[in-house]
Amino acid sequence: MECSYFDAGACRSCTLMGTGYAVQLAGKQRAVSGALVDAAPAATWEEPFASAESGFRNKAKLVVGGRRGAPTLGILDAQGRGVDLRHCGLHEPGLAQAVPVLAELVAASGLRPYDVPGRQGELKHLLVTHSPDGELMTRFVLRSPGQLPRVRELVAELTARLPGTRVVSVNLQPEHKAVLEGEEEIVLTPASTLPMRVNGITLHLRPRSFFQTNTAVAAALYRQACAWVDATSGSVWDLYCGAGGFALHLARPDRDVLGVEVSAEAVASARTSAAELGADRARFVAADATSYLASGTGPACVVVNPPRRGIGSLADRLESSGVREVVYSSCNVRSLVRDLGRMPSLRVRSARLFDMFPQTGHHEVMVHLVRAD
């Protein structure tokens, strides 16, 4: 992949830009397998799952800079000034087409970009998600509700210019700090969820629901979990379930599946998807994953897909539980190694690298653990 922004020194986020993709993938495989050599000495490593080198991101997280009438959509430089990256080559084709149109609409709207050094202005970020069916969810992150009417006025034109528009919302983030979004979300369209069709299963995403940024690789993660858990009898719990991707893929007429997630909005998304699928034996609850495992009889299998920090004390709970199998998907091999060290009775049988983030050193690695007899 070649990138004019990288060549010009405007953006260095893709730290492996210019390195051949086969070399990138091999380097990541060496890194994660080397990190796990002691924690998973008997693991069978499956072939790494490769991504497209470019055009793979389903979500654009765009900092809005510049000035009224001439916004930049991209990142901030070291001085806190906007750097325009509206033609970033990582975006999926439909997303790549949408971002320049959004830039034009913002420029014509009168919305004033937030100036970080001066602490003035209103529009902080645009968060845009593109679905496999070509639909869009666009979120305007504002400092205050004062400019909400301007965004409301944009909805009709946005829908006309980008017919795939399904959800438009305003997120309020009043604090001056490096936080992408705030707690309050105001949906401006009749639809409040973006359907994401993955492996024939439709996941409904609300504005603040988490979903992997690479749809094709997320689909591969779900398929691999199903393959590993296929022969498992008994119930399966998906802890840190988000919008329910793993849980809904693992749901079967003869299997009880429970998804646990602290975000009530994500749980609402998962319940909507389950109802639409007719997955009667899939339940979702808004709760802390660690506390929930300790509150009742454990399942036969647990799937975890935690934040970068890992599962922490949940590893101790899993070790002392009756859980026979664990599928652990991690974006941080260091925290994964630490967590595996707290579960010595659960041995890694299989492992696989999924290249969720080409052009960077980031990785996603998933392991299948089985309790030693």
Side-chain angles (χ1 to χ4, degrees), residues 119 198 266 299 323 338:
R119 301 193 178 196
V198 185
V323 173
R338 184 177 63 244

Side-chain angles (χ1 to χ4, degrees), residues 181 183 192-194 202-211 238-248 259-275 283-287 305:
E181 59 189 70
E183 295 295 323
S192 60
T193 69
L194 179 69
T202 299
L203 305 175
H204 283 269
L205 302 187
R206 281 174 168 74
R208 298 183 64 217
S209 297
F210 169 79
F211 185 75
D238 178 7
L239 306 182
Y240 308 95
C241 72
F246 282 106
L248 292 169
V260 181
E261 167 62 48
V262 71
S263 167
E265 181 167 280
V267 168
S269 297
R271 287 172 176 167
T272 298
S273 302
R283 295 190 302 115
F284 296 90
V285 296
N305 182 25

Side-chain angles (χ1 to χ4, degrees), residues 3-5 35 49 86-87 91 103 110-111 118 127 140 144 151 163 182 189-190 193 224 253 256 263 274 321 324 345:
C3 175
S4 59
Y5 297 124
F49 187 88
R86 70 184 68 180
H87 298 293
H91 298 154
L111 286 166
L127 308 177
F140 293 77
S144 71
V151 181
T189 47
T193 69
Q224 185 65 72
D256 290 322
S263 167
S321 73
R324 300 292 304 170
S345 297

Side-chain angles (χ1 to χ4, degrees), residues 28-41:
K28 291 184 185 183
Q29 177 65 31
R30 284 194 302 272
V32 296
S33 60
L36 286 166
V37 68
D38 293 327

